[in-house]
Amino acid sequence: MSSDGQVKSRKPCTFKCLRCGLEYDGSYIPAVMEELHCPQCDSNSQRRLKEKKK
Ligand SMILES: [Zn+2]
């Protein structure tokens, strides 16, 4: 299979919870606005810190 253009690949990224301050690794899809939840306090106020490079 080699169909480019419809790839929804998740990018690994570090997130930080603005509520409890927890930093954790996760992933997101750039074209999709996802609501993220903190694994610790379940807040949806999450901020992307940086993308990881493979
Ligand atoms: Zn949190």
Side-chain angles (χ1 to χ4, degrees):
M1 288 203 238
S2 61
S3 59
D4 291 348
Q6 289 204 341
V7 181
K8 288 183 179 179
S9 56
R10 302 186 73 88
K11 289 190 174 186
C13 180
T14 300
F15 296 95
K16 181 171 186 175
C17 176
L18 300 180
R19 187 181 182 194
C20 72
L22 177 72
E23 293 184 16
Y24 60 98
D25 292 328
S27 62
Y28 72 103
I29 303 172
V32 178
M33 286 295 291
E34 291 181 284
E35 197 168 80
L36 300 163
H37 290 270
C38 174
Q40 184 167 273
C41 71
D42 206 36
S43 167
N44 63 359
S45 299
Q46 309 301 305
R47 180 178 183 180
R48 286 201 299 269
L49 290 184
K50 60 193 171 186
E51 291 183 15
K52 287 186 175 180
K53 292 183 181 179
K54 280 189 177 177

